[in-house]
């Protein structure tokens, strides 16, 4: 579930669903099961809680008069959970004793060797296919968490899985930036293909992302009306399970208007460059979502390597609020 995923850094957004990353999801599932075992001190009960949630298990324990074994609380569990744990046990039995019942497993299909690359910028999979020779559909299959056909800016630090044979160690990602960067119109079009709600909000045109900070007196209905969308859309885009919002909370919205962010409720263009001068030096204040590559595009005549050299940076890691020398 989205809320449980967020507890283990598996977030869901318009462009990515970390729960679909096989490695990250498996690690999160193991950690969650371990946490549930510590909570109930019984693997069968932990499995039940994995299926229906620890709250439902605690309720079943109370209804069972404080008894804590799975079969003791069995009558008080949700119907699906009553079947889930025995099915799990049946599969474990089959795996351990298949020979006794004449069961033969299919030969496993071993995965191809892959390597993870971190281009440090958003990447259009169609364009990446032309550079690597790997079909865009295969790139998407190797990266199921990215469901719009591109590596979003929010996941630059996580990178892309590619067949090892298709990636040259000497690939100059900075030199390929112009080739691989999805243009805004194409990015919005890809989002619309995979997200019908975005196409609806955009009125048939491209949808632009804005950040809105909740003000005193705001409710979802009021925000939705102001931005030409629906409460259901806002809840979906922000993984909200209820209509409750709090002052200062930042919401992601999509609109037919140009991309903007909210500061104190007023929309401010995201492309605004925050540059100041101090001590004869030009300083740029890093904005949320910024990367060195994006900053180099905002400031004419400045490359990523120049920014790193001016600021003695050993890597591409920056954080919002940080001030960078740009001249």
């Amino acid at each position: 579930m989205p809320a449980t995923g967020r507890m283990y850094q598996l977030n869901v957004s318009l462009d990515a669903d970390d729960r679909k990353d096989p490695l990250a999801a498996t690690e999160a599932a193991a950690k969650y099961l371990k946490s549930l075992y510590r909570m109930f001190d019984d693997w069968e009960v932990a499995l039940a809680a994995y299926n229906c949630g620890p709250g439902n298990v605690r309720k079943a324990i109370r209804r069972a008069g404080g008894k804590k074994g799975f079969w003791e609380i069995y009558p008080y569990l949700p119907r699906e959970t009553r079947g889930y744990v025995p099915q799990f046990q049946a599969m474990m039995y089959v795996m351990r004793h298949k020979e006794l019942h004449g069961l033969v497993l299919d030969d496993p299909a071993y995965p191809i060797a892959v390597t993870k690359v971190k281009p440090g910028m958003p990447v259009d999979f169609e364009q990446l296919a032309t550079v690597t020779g790997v079909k865009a559909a295969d790139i998407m299959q190797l990266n199921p968490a990215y469901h719009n056909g591109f590596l979003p800016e929010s996941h630059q630090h996580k990178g892309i899985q590619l067949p090892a044979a298709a990636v040259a160690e000497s690939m100059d990602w900075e030199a390929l930036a112009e080739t691989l960067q999805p243009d805004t119109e194409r990015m919005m079009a890809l989002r619309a293909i995979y997200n019908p709600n975005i196409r609806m909000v955009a009125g048939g045109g491209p949808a632009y992302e804005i950040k809105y900070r909740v003000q005193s007196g705001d409710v979802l209905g009021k925000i939705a009306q102001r931005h030409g969308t629906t409460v259901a859309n806002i809840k979906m885009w922000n993984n909200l399970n209820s209509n409750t919002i709090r002052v200062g909370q930042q919401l992601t919205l999509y609109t037919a208007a140009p991309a903007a962010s909210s500061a104190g409720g007023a929309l401010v263009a995201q492309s605004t460059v925050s540059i100041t001068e101090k001590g004869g030096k030009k300083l740029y204040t890093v904005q949320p979502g910024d990367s060195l590559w994006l900053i180099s595009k905002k400031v004419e005549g400045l490359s990523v390597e120049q920014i790193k050299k001016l600021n003695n940076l050993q890597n591409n890691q920056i954080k919002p609020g940080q001030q960078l020398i740009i001249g």
Side-chain angles (χ1 to χ4, degrees):
M1 300 298 288
T4 306
R6 286 195 295 272
M7 291 167 53
Y8 295 93
Q9 289 73 58
L10 302 180
N11 297 303
V12 183
S13 69
L14 185 70
D15 297 320
D17 186 343
D18 295 332
R19 299 172 303 166
K20 295 181 180 178
D21 181 321
L23 296 178
T26 300
E27 183 177 350
K31 288 179 178 177
Y32 185 39
L33 279 167
K34 186 177 182 180
S35 171
L36 292 171
Y37 178 74
R38 287 197 300 265
M39 195 179 296
F40 296 107
D41 198 31
D42 183 298
W43 278 115
E44 289 181 336
V45 179
L47 280 171
Y50 185 87
N51 180 253
C52 70
N56 281 323
V57 169
R58 292 194 187 96
K59 187 187 299 182
I61 290 173
R62 288 196 300 271
R63 294 179 66 189
K67 296 177 182 178
K68 298 181 178 180
F70 173 74
W71 294 106
E72 293 170 319
I73 66 174
Y74 178 88
Y76 308 104
L77 290 169
R79 182 176 180 179
E80 179 186 323
T81 306
R82 294 201 301 267
Y84 178 80
V85 176
Q87 287 171 5
F88 188 96
Q89 292 169 322
M91 288 302 299
M92 291 293 292
Y93 176 84
V94 168
M95 294 297 291
R96 289 171 176 164
H97 306 292
K98 54 188 179 296
E99 297 85 359
L100 296 177
H101 303 279
L103 298 172
V104 180
L105 298 180
D106 288 337
D107 290 332
Y110 293 102
I112 61 172
V114 297
T115 187
K116 179 162 281 189
V117 298
K118 297 182 179 180
M121 60 188 175
V123 171
D124 187 321
F125 290 169
E126 289 284 353
Q127 302 300 327
L128 183 59
T130 65
V131 172
T132 61
V134 181
K135 292 180 180 178
D138 292 336
I139 297 175
M140 289 191 71
Q141 187 173 13
L142 288 172
N143 299 274
Y146 309 139
H147 45 232
N148 287 340
F150 59 88
L151 171 68
E153 186 178 325
S154 61
H155 283 62
Q156 293 176 47
H157 64 291
K158 295 192 175 182
I160 313 169
Q161 295 270 31
L162 291 173
V167 181
E169 291 184 12
S170 59
M171 285 183 77
D172 188 343
W173 294 103
E174 189 176 345
L176 292 169
E178 293 295 336
T179 300
L180 300 180
Q181 173 85 357
D183 63 73
T184 302
E185 294 296 321
R186 176 166 165 72
M187 193 181 298
M188 298 309 170
L190 286 168
R191 282 174 172 165
I193 290 171
Y194 294 99
N195 296 274
N197 285 296
I198 296 303
R199 187 160 56 247
M200 178 191 70
V201 170
Y208 296 92
E209 179 179 301
I210 64 173
K211 300 296 182 183
Y212 180 82
R213 198 167 298 281
V214 177
Q215 303 299 296
S216 177
D218 273 345
V219 294
L220 287 184
K222 181 179 177 182
I223 296 170
Q225 185 177 24
R226 187 183 304 157
H227 294 93
T229 185
T230 65
V231 170
N233 280 337
I234 295 177
K235 290 173 70 174
M236 177 187 69
W237 296 332
N238 294 277
N239 301 315
L240 300 178
N241 297 317
S242 70
N243 290 347
T244 303
I245 51 177
R246 65 183 185 280
V247 174
Q249 180 178 354
Q250 184 170 275
L251 298 175
T252 298
L253 308 175
Y254 293 89
T255 175
S261 62
S262 171
L267 297 181
V268 180
Q270 286 184 334
S271 59
T272 300
V273 179
S274 181
I275 299 176
T276 57
E277 290 195 23
K278 187 176 181 181
K281 295 179 179 178
K282 288 185 178 180
L283 302 176
Y284 174 85
T285 302
V286 178
Q287 306 298 304
D290 267 344
S291 67
L292 292 184
W293 186 86
L294 284 174
I295 295 170
S296 73
K297 296 303 174 187
K298 291 180 181 180
V299 183
E300 188 175 351
L302 192 66
S303 69
V304 171
E305 288 307 314
Q306 286 174 320
I307 298 174
K308 292 172 71 174
K309 187 175 181 180
L310 285 169
N311 294 275
N312 297 317
L313 299 178
Q314 303 302 312
N315 55 47
N316 292 345
Q317 299 301 312
I318 54 176
K319 60 181 184 294
Q322 180 180 351
Q323 287 198 318
L324 298 173
I325 300 170
I326 58 171

